[in-house]
Amino acid sequence: MPTSTVENYLKAVLVRSADTESVVSTGALAEALGVTPGTITTMVKSLAAQGLLEHHPREGVRLTREGRALAMAVVRKHRIVETFLVQVLKMDWKEVHGEAEALEHAISERVLARLDALLGHPASDPHGDPIPGAKSPQLDPGSGQTLATCEPQTQLRVERILDQSAPFLEFIQRTGLKPGSRVRVRERDRASGVVRCELRTGEATLGLPEAAKIEVRAT
Amino acid sequence: MPTSTVENYLKAVLVRSADTESVVSTGALAEALGVTPGTITTMVKSLAAQGLLEHHPREGVRLTREGRALAMAVVRKHRIVETFLVQVLKMDWKEVHGEAEALEHAISERVLARLDALLGHPASDPHGDPIPGAKSPQLDPGSGQTLATCEPQTQLRVERILDQSAPFLEFIQRTGLKPGSRVRVRERDRASGVVRCELRTGEATLGLPEAAKIEVRAT
DNA sequence: ATTTACTTTTTGACTACTCAAAGTTGTCAT
DNA sequence: ATGACAACTTTGAGTAGTCAAAAAGTAAAT
Protein backbone atom coordinates (compact mmCIF):
# COMPACT_ATOMS: atom_id res chain seq x y z
CA MET A 1 0.00 0.00 0.00
CA PRO A 2 1.53 3.34 -1.02
CA THR A 3 1.99 5.86 1.77
CA SER A 4 0.15 9.15 1.60
CA THR A 5 3.46 10.84 0.89
CA VAL A 6 3.89 8.71 -2.19
CA GLU A 7 0.33 9.45 -3.24
CA ASN A 8 0.93 13.16 -2.87
CA TYR A 9 4.10 13.08 -4.93
CA LEU A 10 2.43 11.18 -7.74
CA LYS A 11 -0.59 13.46 -7.69
CA ALA A 12 1.67 16.51 -7.85
CA VAL A 13 3.39 15.11 -10.91
CA LEU A 14 0.09 14.19 -12.55
CA VAL A 15 -1.61 17.54 -12.21
CA ARG A 16 1.51 19.27 -13.48
CA SER A 17 2.07 17.18 -16.59
CA ALA A 18 0.28 18.62 -19.56
CA ASP A 19 0.37 15.30 -21.42
CA THR A 20 1.86 11.85 -21.18
CA GLU A 21 5.04 12.95 -22.96
CA SER A 22 6.02 16.02 -20.98
CA VAL A 23 8.31 15.95 -17.99
CA VAL A 24 7.86 17.88 -14.76
CA SER A 25 10.88 19.56 -13.21
CA THR A 26 11.95 18.62 -9.73
CA GLY A 27 11.99 22.30 -8.84
CA ALA A 28 8.29 22.60 -9.64
CA LEU A 29 7.60 19.63 -7.41
CA ALA A 30 9.64 21.09 -4.55
CA GLU A 31 7.60 24.25 -4.85
CA ALA A 32 4.31 22.37 -5.05
CA LEU A 33 4.98 20.00 -2.18
CA GLY A 34 6.65 22.51 0.08
CA VAL A 35 9.85 20.54 0.58
CA THR A 36 13.46 21.31 -0.31
CA PRO A 37 14.84 20.39 -3.74
CA GLY A 38 17.13 17.79 -2.21
CA THR A 39 14.17 15.98 -0.71
CA ILE A 40 12.52 15.81 -4.11
CA THR A 41 15.60 14.28 -5.70
CA THR A 42 15.77 11.65 -2.98
CA MET A 43 12.10 10.76 -3.15
CA VAL A 44 11.99 10.79 -6.90
CA LYS A 45 14.78 8.25 -7.04
CA SER A 46 12.92 6.03 -4.65
CA LEU A 47 9.68 6.38 -6.62
CA ALA A 48 11.58 5.55 -9.80
CA ALA A 49 13.03 2.45 -8.11
CA GLN A 50 9.45 1.39 -7.31
CA GLY A 51 8.49 1.76 -10.95
CA LEU A 52 6.05 4.61 -10.36
CA LEU A 53 7.86 7.19 -12.46
CA GLU A 54 10.87 7.75 -14.68
CA HIS A 55 13.56 10.09 -13.50
CA HIS A 56 15.58 11.80 -16.22
CA PRO A 57 18.30 13.56 -14.20
CA ARG A 58 18.43 17.32 -14.62
CA GLU A 59 15.50 17.08 -17.00
CA GLY A 60 12.51 16.09 -15.00
CA VAL A 61 10.14 13.32 -14.15
CA ARG A 62 7.39 11.43 -15.93
CA LEU A 63 4.83 8.99 -14.52
CA THR A 64 4.82 5.37 -15.60
CA ARG A 65 1.51 3.74 -16.46
CA GLU A 66 1.32 2.38 -12.93
CA GLY A 67 2.19 5.70 -11.32
CA ARG A 68 -0.34 7.46 -13.45
CA ALA A 69 -3.09 5.04 -12.52
CA LEU A 70 -2.32 5.48 -8.87
CA ALA A 71 -2.26 9.26 -9.11
CA MET A 72 -5.51 9.26 -11.04
CA ALA A 73 -7.16 7.18 -8.35
CA VAL A 74 -6.08 9.74 -5.77
CA VAL A 75 -7.44 12.62 -7.84
CA ARG A 76 -10.70 10.74 -8.23
CA LYS A 77 -10.96 10.27 -4.48
CA HIS A 78 -10.14 13.90 -3.87
CA ARG A 79 -12.82 15.20 -6.19
CA ILE A 80 -15.52 12.82 -5.07
CA VAL A 81 -14.81 13.68 -1.45
CA GLU A 82 -14.99 17.39 -2.24
CA THR A 83 -18.31 16.90 -3.96
CA PHE A 84 -19.60 14.96 -0.99
CA LEU A 85 -18.47 17.61 1.47
CA VAL A 86 -20.27 20.33 -0.44
CA GLN A 87 -23.41 18.52 -1.55
CA VAL A 88 -24.15 16.27 1.41
CA LEU A 89 -22.45 17.93 4.34
CA LYS A 90 -23.22 21.43 2.99
CA MET A 91 -19.73 22.62 3.67
CA ASP A 92 -18.37 25.79 2.32
CA TRP A 93 -16.99 25.67 -1.17
CA LYS A 94 -13.72 27.22 -0.15
CA GLU A 95 -12.85 25.01 2.82
CA VAL A 96 -13.35 21.60 1.26
CA HIS A 97 -10.08 21.45 -0.65
CA GLY A 98 -7.98 21.15 2.48
CA GLU A 99 -10.32 18.61 4.02
CA ALA A 100 -10.26 16.45 0.91
CA GLU A 101 -6.48 16.64 0.91
CA ALA A 102 -6.46 14.58 4.11
CA LEU A 103 -9.41 12.31 3.38
CA GLU A 104 -8.23 11.25 -0.08
CA HIS A 105 -5.57 9.05 1.51
CA ALA A 106 -7.83 7.40 4.04
CA ILE A 107 -10.81 6.40 1.91
CA SER A 108 -11.07 2.84 0.69
CA GLU A 109 -12.37 1.85 -2.72
CA ARG A 110 -15.44 0.45 -1.05
CA VAL A 111 -16.36 3.68 0.67
CA LEU A 112 -15.50 5.63 -2.45
CA ALA A 113 -17.90 3.55 -4.51
CA ARG A 114 -20.70 4.23 -2.01
CA LEU A 115 -20.04 7.94 -1.99
CA ASP A 116 -19.97 7.99 -5.77
CA ALA A 117 -23.32 6.23 -5.90
CA LEU A 118 -24.82 8.48 -3.23
CA LEU A 119 -23.83 11.51 -5.30
CA GLY A 120 -25.20 10.00 -8.51
CA HIS A 121 -21.82 9.44 -10.18
CA PRO A 122 -20.99 13.12 -10.63
CA ALA A 123 -18.92 14.16 -13.65
CA SER A 124 -17.21 17.10 -11.99
CA ASP A 125 -16.48 18.45 -8.55
CA PRO A 126 -17.63 21.76 -7.04
CA HIS A 127 -14.72 23.61 -8.68
CA GLY A 128 -15.70 22.28 -12.06
CA ASP A 129 -12.78 19.87 -12.26
CA PRO A 130 -13.72 16.65 -14.02
CA ILE A 131 -13.85 13.50 -11.91
CA PRO A 132 -11.92 10.69 -13.60
CA GLY A 133 -14.18 7.66 -14.00
CA ALA A 134 -13.66 4.46 -12.07
CA LYS A 135 -12.78 2.53 -15.22
CA SER A 136 -12.16 5.19 -17.83
CA PRO A 137 -9.29 7.04 -16.24
CA GLN A 138 -8.75 10.29 -18.03
CA LEU A 139 -7.89 13.71 -16.79
CA ASP A 140 -8.65 17.29 -17.61
CA PRO A 141 -9.87 17.65 -21.15
CA GLY A 142 -10.58 21.36 -20.62
CA SER A 143 -11.25 24.02 -23.18
CA GLY A 144 -7.89 25.67 -22.66
CA GLN A 145 -9.65 29.04 -22.80
CA THR A 146 -9.66 31.32 -19.78
CA LEU A 147 -11.05 34.77 -19.15
CA ALA A 148 -7.56 36.01 -19.96
CA THR A 149 -7.36 34.37 -23.38
CA CYS A 150 -10.91 34.05 -24.71
CA GLU A 151 -12.56 36.06 -27.46
CA PRO A 152 -14.07 39.25 -25.98
CA GLN A 153 -17.78 39.99 -26.33
CA THR A 154 -18.75 36.35 -26.81
CA GLN A 155 -21.16 34.57 -24.51
CA LEU A 156 -19.22 32.27 -22.18
CA ARG A 157 -19.84 29.73 -19.51
CA VAL A 158 -17.46 29.23 -16.56
CA GLU A 159 -16.16 25.67 -16.75
CA ARG A 160 -13.60 25.39 -13.99
CA ILE A 161 -11.88 27.34 -11.29
CA LEU A 162 -8.25 26.39 -11.77
CA ASP A 163 -6.80 27.74 -8.53
CA GLN A 164 -8.04 26.31 -5.27
CA SER A 165 -6.18 28.44 -2.80
CA ALA A 166 -8.47 29.83 -0.13
CA PRO A 167 -7.79 33.54 -0.88
CA PHE A 168 -8.58 33.14 -4.57
CA LEU A 169 -11.73 31.19 -3.83
CA GLU A 170 -12.75 33.90 -1.42
CA PHE A 171 -12.12 36.50 -4.08
CA ILE A 172 -14.16 34.88 -6.80
CA GLN A 173 -16.91 34.08 -4.37
CA ARG A 174 -17.42 37.82 -4.02
CA THR A 175 -17.53 38.22 -7.80
CA GLY A 176 -20.22 35.57 -8.07
CA LEU A 177 -18.29 33.59 -10.65
CA LYS A 178 -18.64 29.81 -10.29
CA PRO A 179 -18.82 26.76 -12.55
CA GLY A 180 -21.91 27.15 -14.70
CA SER A 181 -22.06 30.96 -14.49
CA ARG A 182 -22.74 32.84 -17.75
CA VAL A 183 -20.27 35.58 -18.45
CA ARG A 184 -19.05 37.87 -21.24
CA VAL A 185 -15.75 39.74 -21.37
CA ARG A 186 -16.55 43.41 -21.86
CA GLU A 187 -13.05 44.74 -22.17
CA ARG A 188 -9.55 43.59 -21.53
CA ASP A 189 -6.71 46.04 -21.20
CA ARG A 190 -3.39 44.29 -21.58
CA ALA A 191 -1.46 47.38 -20.43
CA SER A 192 -3.20 47.90 -17.10
CA GLY A 193 -3.97 44.18 -16.68
CA VAL A 194 -7.64 44.81 -16.08
CA VAL A 195 -10.41 42.51 -17.28
CA ARG A 196 -13.98 43.74 -17.03
CA CYS A 197 -16.72 41.14 -17.30
CA GLU A 198 -20.46 41.22 -17.42
CA LEU A 199 -22.44 38.54 -15.67
CA ARG A 200 -26.17 38.15 -15.29
CA THR A 201 -25.95 39.51 -11.78
CA GLY A 202 -23.86 42.55 -12.63
CA GLU A 203 -20.26 43.42 -13.35
CA ALA A 204 -16.98 42.01 -12.17
CA THR A 205 -13.56 43.53 -12.48
CA LEU A 206 -10.47 41.43 -12.10
CA GLY A 207 -6.81 41.43 -13.07
CA LEU A 208 -5.26 39.40 -15.86
CA PRO A 209 -3.51 36.92 -13.52
CA GLU A 210 -6.80 36.15 -11.80
CA ALA A 211 -8.62 35.85 -15.10
CA ALA A 212 -6.15 33.17 -16.18
CA LYS A 213 -7.36 30.93 -13.40
CA ILE A 214 -10.93 30.80 -14.63
CA GLU A 215 -11.56 28.42 -17.49
CA VAL A 216 -14.44 29.20 -19.83
CA ARG A 217 -16.07 27.84 -22.97
CA ALA A 218 -18.06 29.67 -25.60
CA THR A 219 -21.78 28.94 -25.60
CA MET B 1 -0.72 17.63 15.58
CA PRO B 2 -0.43 14.07 16.91
CA THR B 3 0.42 11.39 14.35
CA SER B 4 -2.06 8.61 13.75
CA THR B 5 0.35 6.25 15.50
CA VAL B 6 0.13 8.36 18.63
CA GLU B 7 -3.65 8.48 18.35
CA ASN B 8 -3.79 4.71 18.06
CA TYR B 9 -1.61 4.17 21.10
CA LEU B 10 -3.69 6.50 23.23
CA LYS B 11 -6.92 4.95 22.04
CA ALA B 12 -5.60 1.49 22.85
CA VAL B 13 -4.79 2.60 26.38
CA LEU B 14 -8.15 4.28 26.82
CA VAL B 15 -10.35 1.39 25.77
CA ARG B 16 -8.33 -0.95 27.97
CA SER B 17 -8.43 1.07 31.17
CA ALA B 18 -11.42 0.20 33.30
CA ASP B 19 -11.25 3.48 35.21
CA THR B 20 -9.02 6.51 35.62
CA GLU B 21 -6.98 4.81 38.35
CA SER B 22 -6.11 1.51 36.71
CA VAL B 23 -2.96 0.97 34.70
CA VAL B 24 -2.69 -0.93 31.42
CA SER B 25 0.22 -3.30 30.94
CA THR B 26 2.60 -2.76 28.08
CA GLY B 27 2.11 -6.39 27.12
CA ALA B 28 -1.59 -5.82 26.57
CA LEU B 29 -0.76 -2.86 24.36
CA ALA B 30 1.75 -4.87 22.34
CA GLU B 31 -0.91 -7.50 21.77
CA ALA B 32 -3.55 -4.91 20.90
CA LEU B 33 -1.41 -2.88 18.54
CA GLY B 34 0.35 -5.79 16.89
CA VAL B 35 3.88 -4.60 17.61
CA THR B 36 6.69 -6.12 19.66
CA PRO B 37 6.95 -5.38 23.40
CA GLY B 38 10.14 -3.41 22.87
CA THR B 39 8.36 -1.06 20.52
CA ILE B 40 5.72 -0.37 23.14
CA THR B 41 8.30 0.48 25.77
CA THR B 42 9.99 2.90 23.39
CA MET B 43 6.80 4.60 22.32
CA VAL B 44 5.38 4.74 25.79
CA LYS B 45 8.45 6.58 27.00
CA SER B 46 8.09 9.07 24.20
CA LEU B 47 4.38 9.53 24.91
CA ALA B 48 5.19 10.04 28.58
CA ALA B 49 7.78 12.66 27.64
CA GLN B 50 5.04 14.45 25.69
CA GLY B 51 2.83 14.45 28.75
CA LEU B 52 0.17 12.21 27.23
CA LEU B 53 0.51 9.38 29.71
CA GLU B 54 2.37 8.24 32.82
CA HIS B 55 4.70 5.30 32.56
CA HIS B 56 5.23 3.28 35.71
CA PRO B 57 7.99 0.90 34.65
CA ARG B 58 7.12 -2.79 34.92
CA GLU B 59 3.71 -1.79 36.17
CA GLY B 60 1.86 -0.23 33.33
CA VAL B 61 0.62 2.96 31.84
CA ARG B 62 -2.09 5.48 32.65
CA LEU B 63 -3.37 8.36 30.53
CA THR B 64 -2.95 11.94 31.67
CA ARG B 65 -5.91 14.29 31.40
CA GLU B 66 -4.56 15.53 28.09
CA GLY B 67 -3.93 12.04 26.74
CA ARG B 68 -7.38 10.96 27.80
CA ALA B 69 -9.02 13.90 26.06
CA LEU B 70 -7.14 13.15 22.87
CA ALA B 71 -8.00 9.46 22.98
CA MET B 72 -11.63 10.25 23.65
CA ALA B 73 -11.75 12.53 20.64
CA VAL B 74 -10.43 9.70 18.50
CA VAL B 75 -13.02 7.27 19.84
CA ARG B 76 -15.72 9.82 19.17
CA LYS B 77 -14.56 10.18 15.58
CA HIS B 78 -14.39 6.44 15.15
CA ARG B 79 -17.91 5.83 16.35
CA ILE B 80 -19.48 8.70 14.47
CA VAL B 81 -17.78 7.56 11.29
CA GLU B 82 -19.02 4.01 11.82
CA THR B 83 -22.54 5.27 12.32
CA PHE B 84 -22.28 7.33 9.16
CA LEU B 85 -20.99 4.41 7.13
CA VAL B 86 -23.87 2.21 8.21
CA GLN B 87 -26.72 4.69 8.25
CA VAL B 88 -25.90 6.93 5.32
CA LEU B 89 -23.71 4.84 3.08
CA LYS B 90 -25.62 1.66 3.94
CA MET B 91 -22.46 -0.28 4.43
CA ASP B 92 -22.37 -3.64 6.06
CA TRP B 93 -22.29 -3.67 9.81
CA LYS B 94 -19.29 -5.92 9.90
CA GLU B 95 -17.00 -4.08 7.51
CA VAL B 96 -17.23 -0.58 8.94
CA HIS B 97 -14.87 -1.06 11.85
CA GLY B 98 -11.82 -1.34 9.63
CA GLU B 99 -12.87 1.60 7.49
CA ALA B 100 -13.40 3.80 10.52
CA GLU B 101 -9.99 2.80 11.81
CA ALA B 102 -8.43 4.69 8.90
CA LEU B 103 -10.89 7.58 8.67
CA GLU B 104 -10.76 8.47 12.36
CA HIS B 105 -7.30 9.97 11.86
CA ALA B 106 -8.16 11.98 8.77
CA ILE B 107 -11.39 13.68 9.77
CA SER B 108 -11.26 17.26 10.98
CA GLU B 109 -13.41 18.62 13.78
CA ARG B 110 -15.35 20.59 11.20
CA VAL B 111 -16.29 17.57 9.15
CA LEU B 112 -17.00 15.61 12.30
CA ALA B 113 -19.45 18.24 13.50
CA ARG B 114 -21.29 18.08 10.15
CA LEU B 115 -21.49 14.32 10.22
CA ASP B 116 -22.74 14.39 13.80
CA ALA B 117 -25.46 16.85 12.85
CA LEU B 118 -26.41 14.87 9.73
CA LEU B 119 -26.88 11.78 11.92
CA GLY B 120 -28.91 13.67 14.50
CA HIS B 121 -26.25 13.54 17.25
CA PRO B 122 -26.45 9.79 17.81
CA ALA B 123 -25.82 8.45 21.30
CA SER B 124 -24.33 5.15 20.23
CA ASP B 125 -22.78 3.53 17.20
CA PRO B 126 -24.03 0.50 15.26
CA HIS B 127 -22.32 -1.87 17.70
CA GLY B 128 -24.10 -0.25 20.61
CA ASP B 129 -20.98 1.48 21.89
CA PRO B 130 -21.74 4.90 23.35
CA ILE B 131 -20.45 7.91 21.46
CA PRO B 132 -18.66 10.32 23.80
CA GLY B 133 -20.19 13.77 23.53
CA ALA B 134 -18.37 16.71 22.01
CA LYS B 135 -18.20 18.54 25.33
CA SER B 136 -19.10 15.93 27.92
CA PRO B 137 -16.36 13.40 27.32
CA GLN B 138 -17.20 10.18 29.08
CA LEU B 139 -16.75 6.61 28.06
CA ASP B 140 -18.45 3.29 28.44
CA PRO B 141 -20.84 3.29 31.34
CA GLY B 142 -22.05 -0.18 30.39
CA SER B 143 -24.11 -2.61 32.43
CA GLY B 144 -21.20 -4.93 33.00
CA GLN B 145 -23.53 -7.86 32.38
CA THR B 146 -23.01 -10.19 29.44
CA LEU B 147 -24.78 -13.28 28.23
CA ALA B 148 -22.10 -15.21 30.10
CA THR B 149 -22.76 -13.56 33.46
CA CYS B 150 -26.39 -12.46 33.56
CA GLU B 151 -29.23 -14.00 35.49
CA PRO B 152 -30.78 -16.85 33.44
CA GLN B 153 -34.46 -16.79 32.50
CA THR B 154 -34.75 -13.01 32.77
CA GLN B 155 -35.82 -10.84 29.90
CA LEU B 156 -32.76 -9.04 28.45
CA ARG B 157 -31.88 -6.49 25.83
CA VAL B 158 -28.63 -6.59 23.90
CA GLU B 159 -26.76 -3.38 24.67
CA ARG B 160 -23.42 -3.72 22.95
CA ILE B 161 -21.34 -6.07 20.91
CA LEU B 162 -17.96 -5.88 22.63
CA ASP B 163 -15.82 -7.63 20.02
CA GLN B 164 -15.56 -6.07 16.59
CA SER B 165 -13.46 -8.64 14.80
CA ALA B 166 -14.95 -9.57 11.45
CA PRO B 167 -15.33 -13.32 12.23
CA PHE B 168 -17.21 -12.64 15.45
CA LEU B 169 -19.47 -10.10 13.78
CA GLU B 170 -20.15 -12.61 11.05
CA PHE B 171 -21.02 -15.21 13.65
CA ILE B 172 -23.48 -13.11 15.59
CA GLN B 173 -25.03 -11.82 12.41
CA ARG B 174 -26.13 -15.39 11.76
CA THR B 175 -27.61 -15.64 15.25
CA GLY B 176 -29.63 -12.48 14.71
CA LEU B 177 -28.29 -10.83 17.89
CA LYS B 178 -27.70 -7.11 17.58
CA PRO B 179 -28.01 -4.02 19.77
CA GLY B 180 -31.66 -3.68 20.74
CA SER B 181 -32.50 -7.38 20.32
CA ARG B 182 -34.60 -8.97 23.07
CA VAL B 183 -33.16 -12.18 24.43
CA ARG B 184 -33.47 -14.58 27.38
CA VAL B 185 -30.87 -17.10 28.51
CA ARG B 186 -32.53 -20.50 28.55
CA GLU B 187 -29.71 -22.53 29.95
CA ARG B 188 -26.04 -22.19 30.58
CA ASP B 189 -23.84 -25.20 31.16
CA ARG B 190 -20.56 -24.16 32.70
CA ALA B 191 -19.08 -27.62 32.12
CA SER B 192 -19.64 -27.84 28.35
CA GLY B 193 -19.41 -24.07 27.88
CA VAL B 194 -22.70 -23.93 26.06
CA VAL B 195 -25.15 -21.05 26.35
CA ARG B 196 -28.59 -21.49 24.86
CA CYS B 197 -30.65 -18.38 24.29
CA GLU B 198 -34.14 -17.67 23.19
CA LEU B 199 -34.83 -14.70 20.98
CA ARG B 200 -38.05 -13.57 19.39
CA THR B 201 -36.97 -15.05 16.10
CA GLY B 202 -35.97 -18.43 17.50
CA GLU B 203 -33.09 -20.00 19.34
CA ALA B 204 -29.35 -19.34 19.36
CA THR B 205 -26.63 -21.52 20.74
CA LEU B 206 -23.25 -20.12 21.53
CA GLY B 207 -20.22 -20.86 23.67
CA LEU B 208 -19.32 -19.13 26.90
CA PRO B 209 -16.42 -17.14 25.39
CA GLU B 210 -18.68 -15.73 22.71
CA ALA B 211 -21.41 -14.96 25.19
CA ALA B 212 -18.95 -12.82 27.17
CA LYS B 213 -18.64 -10.47 24.25
CA ILE B 214 -22.31 -9.56 24.20
CA GLU B 215 -23.36 -7.02 26.80
CA VAL B 216 -26.95 -7.10 27.98
CA ARG B 217 -29.22 -5.33 30.43
CA ALA B 218 -32.32 -6.65 32.18
CA THR B 219 -35.59 -5.17 30.96
C1' DA C 1 35.48 30.74 -24.23
C1' DT C 2 34.76 32.19 -19.69
C1' DT C 3 32.08 33.90 -16.15
C1' DT C 4 27.85 34.08 -13.71
C1' DA C 5 23.60 32.61 -12.18
C1' DC C 6 20.51 29.10 -11.67
C1' DT C 7 18.89 24.43 -10.99
C1' DT C 8 19.67 19.92 -9.48
C1' DT C 9 22.08 16.39 -6.98
C1' DT C 10 24.88 14.74 -3.21
C1' DT C 11 26.15 14.33 1.55
C1' DG C 12 25.56 13.99 6.40
C1' DA C 13 22.36 14.28 9.86
C1' DC C 14 17.89 14.07 12.25
C1' DT C 15 12.86 12.37 13.76
C1' DA C 16 9.37 8.83 14.05
C1' DC C 17 8.49 4.23 14.12
C1' DT C 18 9.67 -0.42 13.99
C1' DC C 19 12.10 -5.25 14.93
C1' DA C 20 15.21 -8.96 16.85
C1' DA C 21 17.72 -10.36 20.31
C1' DA C 22 19.96 -9.80 24.63
C1' DG C 23 19.56 -8.17 29.32
C1' DT C 24 16.62 -7.11 33.72
C1' DT C 25 13.35 -7.68 37.15
C1' DG C 26 9.37 -9.22 39.80
C1' DT C 27 6.74 -13.10 41.37
C1' DC C 28 5.66 -17.46 42.80
C1' DA C 29 6.57 -22.23 43.98
C1' DT C 30 9.41 -24.73 46.28
C1' DA D 1 15.63 -18.00 50.56
C1' DT D 2 16.30 -19.52 45.72
C1' DG D 3 15.40 -20.69 41.26
C1' DA D 4 12.61 -20.55 37.28
C1' DC D 5 9.72 -18.21 34.33
C1' DA D 6 7.23 -14.73 32.31
C1' DA D 7 6.97 -9.92 31.51
C1' DC D 8 9.34 -5.97 30.66
C1' DT D 9 13.29 -2.97 29.06
C1' DT D 10 17.51 -2.07 26.62
C1' DT D 11 20.41 -2.15 22.65
C1' DG D 12 21.62 -2.02 17.95
C1' DA D 13 19.88 -1.61 13.59
C1' DG D 14 16.71 -0.56 9.65
C1' DT D 15 13.01 2.16 6.69
C1' DA D 16 10.60 6.43 5.35
C1' DG D 17 10.80 11.08 5.00
C1' DT D 18 12.90 15.30 5.87
C1' DC D 19 16.56 19.48 6.01
C1' DA D 20 20.88 22.34 5.44
C1' DA D 21 24.70 23.02 3.08
C1' DA D 22 28.15 21.77 -0.23
C1' DA D 23 29.07 20.14 -4.91
C1' DA D 24 28.02 19.61 -9.69
C1' DG D 25 25.95 20.51 -13.95
C1' DT D 26 23.56 23.78 -17.54
C1' DA D 27 22.87 27.62 -20.06
C1' DA D 28 22.90 32.19 -21.23
C1' DA D 29 25.65 36.67 -21.39
C1' DT D 30 29.53 38.69 -22.04
Side-chain angles (χ1 to χ4, degrees):
Chain A
M1 197 124 307
T3 64
S4 57
T5 305
V6 167
E7 293 188 342
N8 280 334
Y9 274 68
L10 297 177
K11 188 177 63 156
V13 177
L14 179 69
V15 304
R16 276 161 191 79
S17 19
D19 56 281
T20 319
E21 299 310 305
S22 68
V23 300
V24 176
S25 76
T26 56
L29 293 177
E31 167 75 31
L33 293 165
V35 297
T36 63
T39 300
I40 294 291
T41 304
T42 309
M43 278 299 291
V44 143
K45 285 204 289 193
S46 142
L47 262 18
Q50 291 169 64
L52 296 170
L53 47 73
E54 300 163 25
H55 181 205
H56 302 286
R58 290 182 199 273
E59 288 256 325
V61 135
R62 184 179 21 231
L63 293 175
T64 60
R65 195 177 298 102
E66 187 185 348
R68 171 169 297 267
L70 222 161
M72 204 86 75
V74 176
V75 169
R76 174 169 159 79
K77 284 182 186 176
H78 182 102
R79 296 186 179 164
I80 286 180
V81 167
E82 272 188 349
T83 308
F84 164 76
L85 293 176
V86 169
Q87 296 196 354
V88 178
L89 295 193
K90 310 294 182 204
M91 289 184 69
D92 198 327
W93 222 58
K94 61 182 192 292
E95 63 191 15
V96 299
H97 181 71
E99 302 283 355
E101 208 64 31
L103 259 2
E104 69 189 1
H105 308 295
I107 286 221
S108 73
E109 288 303 325
R110 242 187 335 212
V111 171
L112 185 73
R114 297 289 185 150
L115 283 178
D116 187 40
L118 177 69
L119 296 166
H121 309 283
S124 59
D125 76 7
H127 306 99
D129 297 315
I131 296 174
K135 51 271 312 262
S136 64
Q138 79 181 109
L139 195 67
D140 302 2
S143 69
Q145 293 295 299
T146 70
L147 282 182
T149 62
C150 65
E151 191 64 29
Q153 306 304 344
T154 57
Q155 179 66 35
L156 305 164
R157 206 184 88 95
V158 175
E159 292 282 305
R160 305 169 59 183
I161 306 302
L162 266 11
D163 181 330
Q164 284 168 29
S165 67
F168 182 68
L169 258 20
E170 188 124 13
F171 165 67
I172 63 153
Q173 192 154 57
R174 281 199 305 275
T175 69
L177 255 11
K178 60 159 107 37
S181 303
R182 295 309 170 93
V183 64
R184 185 197 311 267
V185 172
R186 264 259 183 274
E187 78 178 305
R188 192 161 52 214
D189 180 358
R190 205 154 294 277
S192 70
V194 166
V195 177
R196 193 172 307 277
C197 308
E198 171 196 343
L199 31 182
R200 260 193 302 7
T201 58
E203 283 246 329
T205 308
L206 57 171
L208 237 20
E210 283 83 44
K213 297 172 182 172
I214 300 173
E215 187 176 289
V216 295
R217 187 185 296 274
T219 57
Chain B
M1 195 122 308
T3 64
S4 58
T5 305
V6 168
E7 293 189 341
N8 279 334
Y9 274 68
L10 296 178
K11 187 177 64 153
V13 177
L14 179 68
V15 304
R16 276 162 192 78
S17 21
D19 56 281
T20 319
E21 298 311 303
S22 68
V23 301
V24 176
S25 75
T26 57
L29 294 177
E31 167 75 32
L33 293 165
V35 297
T36 61
T39 300
I40 296 289
T41 302
T42 309
M43 279 298 291
V44 144
K45 286 205 286 192
S46 141
L47 262 18
Q50 291 170 64
L52 296 170
L53 48 73
E54 300 163 26
H55 181 203
H56 302 285
R58 294 190 195 264
E59 287 254 325
V61 135
R62 181 176 28 227
L63 293 175
T64 61
R65 196 177 294 100
E66 187 185 347
R68 172 171 296 268
L70 223 160
M72 204 87 74
V74 176
V75 169
R76 175 170 157 80
K77 284 182 185 176
H78 181 102
R79 295 187 179 164
I80 286 181
V81 167
E82 272 188 350
T83 307
F84 165 76
L85 293 175
V86 168
Q87 295 195 356
V88 178
L89 295 194
K90 310 294 180 203
M91 290 184 68
D92 198 325
W93 220 56
K94 61 181 193 289
E95 63 192 14
V96 299
H97 181 72
E99 303 284 354
E101 208 63 31
L103 260 2
E104 67 188 3
H105 308 295
I107 284 218
S108 73
E109 288 302 325
R110 243 188 335 215
V111 172
L112 185 73
R114 297 289 184 151
L115 283 179
D116 187 39
L118 178 69
L119 297 167
H121 309 285
S124 60
D125 77 7
H127 305 99
D129 296 317
I131 297 174
K135 50 272 311 265
S136 65
Q138 78 180 111
L139 194 68
D140 299 5
S143 70
Q145 293 294 300
T146 70
L147 282 183
T149 61
C150 66
E151 191 65 27
Q153 305 304 344
T154 58
Q155 180 65 36
L156 305 163
R157 208 184 88 95
V158 174
E159 292 282 302
R160 305 168 59 183
I161 306 301
L162 266 11
D163 180 330
Q164 286 169 27
S165 66
F168 182 67
L169 259 20
E170 186 123 15
F171 164 67
I172 64 152
Q173 192 155 58
R174 282 200 304 275
T175 70
L177 256 11
K178 60 159 98 55
S181 302
R182 295 308 168 92
V183 63
R184 185 198 308 267
V185 173
R186 263 263 182 271
E187 79 177 304
R188 192 159 57 213
D189 180 0
R190 204 155 293 279
S192 69
V194 166
V195 177
R196 193 173 308 278
C197 309
E198 172 194 344
L199 34 180
R200 261 192 303 4
T201 57
E203 283 247 329
T205 307
L206 58 170
L208 237 19
E210 283 85 44
K213 297 171 181 172
I214 300 173
E215 187 177 288
V216 295
R217 188 186 294 272
T219 56

